[in-house]
């Protein structure tokens, strides 16, 4: 099956080349230059500007054009929490084993009354936005932010900016030329103003089968080496040019592990008799942009083919938007469909007895926030899997802080948020410097990194290494002998994200276990890890969308997929199963994760770098290309004994998840 569109993320997680500016780095980099054009009208003397709300790629940066004044853009205003320090302290206390308040979670109503903005404050912001002629598209019950849409002309007038067009990694984005300004009576209520299109490049963290075929424009020809996929490690070997270890043969790429193999890997079953009840009584929510019309029917066809119980109207629900926005910039519903299938089917594989709630965003920006708030404000789940994010922390620093407010709410309510750590390693190629991805770098979410995984024919665990894939092309010479196009291991292709945050200080739960040389006083991600490498991968099935307007779909088929979009829902499912087995609610898991990892007999798998090269080979008959992959080389991120910035404390197992639950 051809890879679905948008499968290889290329934006605020994978390809957008922006320069991150964190709160701790100061705001000079996003300030307004003296050469900037004057605002449409001089701001009132009582108004306040928000320099921390300008994205790193906008402001004084080189502009590529001026958008039409009737172009519609989305905006979002984040309100201040009346006592953010108290909210942070409470979220920390109820999440930390040993604290007298541990597990004493709030209801959504209690969060709203004790820590959220007053209703009058939210109403005042809403009324001001409407008075500027703009349309409100979302206000959560918590009242912590307001999502709206307006024309460029309306945004310019309301916020005293001149919206410009900027080129961000080949994509034209609209953003302000200076810090947005709001009237003084509104400014006191506001923590951040977002009036740029940067978040509309959010993409899922997955790599679909075929995404590594490149380069484009290649005409089909006979491949130098035929490579039937393997159902387990080293089922098939093929002849290759001599590798770094001196080998002249190498295993072929895997077909993608099945639910049975996944259950065997993580200790839920033996891979033959499926565990159909793990996770019973739990609800795992999944958030993505848009929604494929066949998610339930696809998931049930997949379940019937792979020995999983069917999902019913009781065990599977959807909360969907009534309208979609910004489809082209968000890579269309078809670009998110593989992610949606992956999330549902991965969670169902590791928590077959759990209920699944799918919450779709109206777009890949504010719509995702609204989807999250529906879950938090309704307390509709106790675990949320999120397989999306930005490139590094390269967003407006005040916006980062505004997004963390939702993470605080989730922790206070005992809802665990899991975010994929990213698929582009340390992000230096995109940003020019190393950075972990946000929201995974938030100190109040669990960041899930990735590994490459080997099982034998009997579903026994063989080994695991950090997910970091380099590749080199195999060529056939005129005499028929094989050679490489260049030296092994070749060029880095993709790998798990991680590293030291520039914005967030080291949380107490990482002190002691995370080496000081990595942390230097800052938050380091990821926290845990699971299978992510697309070359070993996971098999999913769905009916691909053939028309993004009518949402017509084709025939059901299956493909291999990977990315930290895989490791995240696998981990969410394992934690749901552990909660069910222990009859305990873990909530925000990180403090318990690090305590369990530091205890004797910790059951996570400590992942290290391979002592010798591990190779896999894959041919693409459609292009005539054959590639040799070398595993375990993740840019500057390195898997080592103990905590590391690729796999966190280690790779998940169900036994370790239950040890985390036992910290309660």
């Amino acid at each position: 099956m051809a890879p679905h569109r948008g499968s290889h993320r290329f934006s605020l997680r994978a390809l957008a080349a922006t320069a991150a500016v964190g709160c701790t780095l100061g705001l000079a980099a996003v300030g307004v230059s003296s050469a900037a054009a004057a605002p449409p009208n001089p701001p009132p003397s009582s108004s306040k500007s928000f320099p921390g709300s300008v994205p790193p790629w906008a402001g004084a940066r080189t502009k590529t054009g001026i958008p039409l004044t009737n172009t519609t853009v989305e905006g979002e205003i984040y309100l201040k929490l009346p006592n953010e320090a108290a909210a942070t302290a409470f979220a920390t206390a109820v999440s930390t084993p040993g604290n007298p308040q541990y597990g004493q979670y709030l209801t959504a109503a209690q969060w709203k009354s004790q820590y959220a903005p007053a209703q009058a404050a939210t109403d005042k912001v809403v009324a001001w936005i409407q008075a500027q002629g703009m349309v409100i598209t979302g206000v959560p019950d918590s009242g912590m932010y307001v999502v709206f849409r307006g024309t460029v002309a309306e945004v310019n007038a309301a916020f005293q900016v001149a919206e410009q067009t900027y080129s961000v990694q080949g994509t034209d984005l609209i953003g302000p030329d200076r810090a947005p300004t709001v009237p003084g009576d509104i400014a006191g209520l506001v923590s951040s103003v977002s009036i740029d299109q940067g978040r509309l490049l959010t993409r899922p963290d997955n790599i679909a089968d075929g995404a590594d075929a490149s380069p484009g424009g290649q005409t089909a020809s006979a491949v130098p080496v035929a490579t039937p996929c393997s159902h387990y490690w080293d089922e098939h070997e093929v002849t290759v040019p001599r590798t770094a270890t001196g080998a002249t043969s190498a295993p072929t790429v895997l077909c993608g592990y099945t639910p049975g193999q996944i259950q065997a890997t993580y200790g839920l079953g033996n891979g033959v008799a499926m565990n159909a009840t793990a996770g019973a009584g739990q609800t795992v929510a999944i958030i993505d942009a848009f929604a494929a019309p066949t998610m339930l029917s696809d998931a049930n066809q997949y379940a019937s083919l792979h020995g999983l119980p069917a999902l019913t109207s009781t065990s599977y629900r959807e909360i969907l938007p009534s309208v979609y926005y910004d489809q082209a910039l968000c890579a269309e519903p078809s670009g998110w469909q593989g992610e949606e299938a992956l999330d549902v089917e991965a969670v169902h594989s590791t928590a077959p007895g759990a209920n699944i709630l799918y919450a779709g965003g109206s777009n890949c920006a504010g719509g995702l926030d609204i989807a999250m708030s529906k879950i938090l404000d309704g307390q509709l789940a106790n675990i949320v899997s999120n397989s999306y994010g930005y490139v590094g922390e390269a967003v407006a620093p005040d916006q980062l802080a505004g997004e963390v407010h939702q993470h605080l709410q989730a922790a206070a309510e005992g809802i665990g948020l899991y975010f994929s750590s990213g698929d582009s390693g340390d992000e230096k190629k995109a940003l020019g410097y190393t950075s972990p991805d946000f929201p995974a770098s938030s100190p109040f979410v669990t960041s899930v990194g990735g590994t490459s995984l080997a099982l034998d024919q009997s579903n026994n665990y063989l080994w695991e290494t950090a997910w970091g894939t380099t590749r080199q092309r195999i060529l056939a010479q005129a005499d028929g002998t094989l050679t490489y196009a260049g030296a092994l291991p070749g060029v880095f292709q993709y790998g798990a994200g991680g590293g030291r945050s520039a914005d967030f200080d080291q949380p107490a739960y990482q002190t002691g276990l995370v080496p000081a040389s990595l942390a230097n006083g800052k938050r380091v991600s990821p926290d845990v890890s699971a299978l992510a490498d697309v070359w070993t991968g996971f098999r999913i099935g769905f009916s691909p969308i053939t028309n993004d307007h009518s949402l017509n779909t084709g025939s059901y088929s299956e493909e291999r997929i990977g990315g930290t979009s895989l490791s995240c829902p696998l981990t969410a499912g394992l934690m749901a199963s552990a909660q069910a087995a222990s009859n305990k609610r873990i909530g925000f898991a990180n403090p318990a994760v690090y305590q369990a990892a530091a205890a004797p007999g910790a059951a996570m798998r400590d992942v290290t770098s391979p002592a010798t090269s591990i190779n896999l080979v894959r041919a693409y008959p459609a292009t005539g290309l054959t590639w040799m992959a070398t595993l375990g080389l993740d840019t500057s991120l390195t898997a080592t004994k103990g905590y590391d910035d690729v796999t966190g404390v280690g790779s998940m197992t169900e036994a370790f998840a239950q040890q985390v639950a036992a910290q309660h």
Side-chain angles (χ1 to χ4, degrees):
M1 184 179 79
H4 58 278
R5 283 184 288 170
S7 59
H8 187 62
R9 61 180 180 82
F10 56 86
S11 67
L12 286 178
R13 252 215 201 277
L15 300 178
T18 56
V21 180
C23 297
T24 58
L25 298 182
L27 300 174
V30 294
V32 181
S33 71
S34 59
N41 297 295
S45 58
S46 61
S47 63
K48 177 185 176 182
S49 66
F50 289 82
S53 292
V54 180
W57 45 265
R61 300 298 189 270
T62 302
K63 308 162 185 66
T64 59
I66 300 174
L68 296 175
T69 57
N70 62 353
T71 302
T72 299
V73 295
E74 180 178 87
E76 190 165 355
I77 290 181
Y78 301 86
L79 279 75
K80 291 180 178 177
L81 300 186
N83 192 337
E84 185 171 347
T88 302
F90 180 82
T92 301
V94 297
S95 305
T96 303
N99 189 293
Q101 290 181 285
Y102 183 45
Q104 303 301 307
Y105 304 123
L106 299 180
T107 66
Q110 289 171 326
W111 166 264
K112 183 174 181 179
S113 65
Q114 295 181 37
Y115 297 112
Q119 187 64 51
T122 304
D123 292 344
K124 190 170 185 178
V125 171
V126 167
W128 178 76
I129 293 170
Q130 291 174 326
Q132 312 311 304
M134 296 182 284
V135 177
I136 305 297
T137 55
V139 182
D141 289 345
S142 65
M144 294 197 299
Y145 57 87
V146 179
V147 184
F148 59 93
R149 299 181 75 82
T151 66
V152 166
E154 290 166 342
V155 169
N156 286 345
F159 296 99
Q160 297 299 307
V161 298
E163 292 270 68
Q164 304 288 315
T165 302
Y166 302 84
S167 179
V168 181
Q169 193 64 25
T171 300
D172 287 337
L173 300 179
I174 295 172
D177 69 332
R178 69 194 71 234
T181 298
V182 298
D185 60 336
I186 299 296
L189 309 174
V190 173
S191 66
S192 180
V193 177
S194 173
I195 50 172
D196 67 84
Q197 292 182 320
R199 291 186 65 199
L200 292 176
L201 292 181
T202 303
R203 296 291 183 273
D205 277 327
N206 66 54
I207 310 294
D209 185 28
D212 48 2
S214 302
Q218 190 78 23
T219 57
S221 61
V223 296
V225 180
T227 58
C229 71
S230 295
H231 295 88
Y232 52 88
W233 181 259
D234 209 15
E235 178 187 19
H236 302 297
E237 280 201 13
V238 295
T239 300
V240 297
R242 190 174 301 277
T243 69
T245 63
T248 55
S249 65
T252 64
V253 67
L254 272 69
C255 306
Y257 290 121
T258 64
Q261 290 173 302
I262 290 296
Q263 288 200 357
T265 296
Y266 294 109
L268 289 166
N270 59 15
V272 179
M274 294 293 287
N275 183 335
T277 60
Q282 308 299 307
T283 299
V284 179
I286 292 165
I287 298 176
D288 289 310
F290 312 128
T294 56
M295 271 194 287
L296 178 57
S297 60
D298 287 343
N300 278 338
Q301 185 164 355
Y302 181 85
S304 69
L305 293 171
H306 295 284
L308 294 170
L311 292 166
T312 67
S313 58
T314 300
S315 60
Y316 178 84
R317 291 198 303 130
E318 294 180 348
I319 301 176
L320 305 182
S322 58
V323 62
Y324 292 165
Y325 300 110
D326 308 304
Q327 288 184 218
L329 275 175
C330 288
E332 304 286 0
S334 61
W336 285 78
Q337 186 182 16
E339 179 63 49
E340 294 157 1
L342 167 59
D343 290 342
V344 171
E345 291 160 11
V347 167
H348 197 41
S349 294
T350 49
N355 298 325
I356 294 176
L357 171 66
Y358 177 83
S362 59
N363 66 4
C364 56
L368 295 176
D369 289 344
I370 293 295
M372 175 75 79
S373 286
K374 287 179 179 178
I375 296 166
L376 303 185
D377 293 341
Q379 293 191 301
L380 303 179
N382 44 39
I383 287 174
V384 187
S385 178
N386 305 271
S387 294
Y388 55 84
Y390 315 134
V391 164
E393 295 171 329
V395 291
D398 286 355
Q399 185 176 332
L400 280 179
E403 292 288 317
V404 172
H405 291 172
Q406 280 193 313
H407 309 160
L408 291 176
Q409 179 186 359
E413 294 180 13
I415 299 173
L417 301 184
Y418 295 80
F419 277 89
S420 54
S421 72
D423 292 350
S424 299
D426 62 16
E427 298 290 11
K428 187 171 184 179
K429 181 178 179 180
L431 298 172
Y433 56 88
T434 61
S435 175
D437 290 359
F438 181 85
S441 66
S442 166
F444 284 93
V445 310
T446 298
S447 173
V448 185
T451 68
S452 304
L453 171 71
L455 299 181
D456 69 12
Q457 185 175 6
S458 299
N459 297 329
N460 295 311
Y461 176 92
L462 294 178
W463 52 261
E464 218 166 348
T465 190
W467 177 40
T469 304
T470 58
R471 67 173 186 176
Q472 186 57 268
R473 188 177 169 190
I474 297 176
L475 303 174
Q477 302 185 97
D479 61 0
T481 59
L482 300 175
T483 188
Y484 295 110
L488 292 178
V491 178
F492 173 78
Q493 192 173 16
Y494 31 55
R500 180 192 305 137
S501 172
D503 290 86
F504 302 110
D505 291 337
Q506 184 178 51
Y509 56 76
Q510 287 198 318
T511 303
L513 204 60
V514 176
S517 58
L518 281 181
N520 195 26
K522 292 295 184 179
R523 158 79 157 130
V524 185
S525 62
D527 301 302
V528 295
S529 58
L531 170 64
D533 187 358
V534 67
W535 285 71
T536 54
F538 178 63
R539 197 153 192 84
I540 65 168
F542 61 96
S543 305
I545 293 172
T546 57
N547 187 302
D548 280 303
H549 299 287
S550 66
L551 297 183
N552 292 338
T553 60
S555 299
Y556 174 92
S557 59
E558 296 192 349
E559 68 174 31
R560 176 175 48 88
I561 198 167
T564 53
S565 277
L566 168 58
S567 59
C568 185
L570 289 177
T571 298
L574 290 170
M575 297 303 280
S577 294
Q579 288 188 162
S582 64
N583 197 29
K584 294 176 180 177
R585 186 169 182 169
I586 297 171
F588 169 50
N590 283 10
V593 164
Y594 284 84
Q595 285 193 21
M604 74 287 181
R605 293 171 173 136
D606 191 5
V607 180
T608 60
S609 296
T612 58
S613 297
I614 300 174
N615 296 112
L616 279 176
V617 63
R618 169 78 194 274
Y620 297 88
T623 61
L625 302 179
T626 300
W627 297 97
M628 173 66 83
T630 302
L631 308 184
L633 305 175
D634 191 14
T635 56
S636 66
L637 309 177
T638 305
T640 61
K641 185 175 178 57
Y643 180 91
D644 60 66
D645 51 10
V646 188
T647 66
V649 300
S651 176
M652 288 295 299
T653 66
E654 180 59 13
F656 180 65
Q658 292 187 21
Q659 289 175 340
V660 173
Q663 302 302 307
H664 208 289

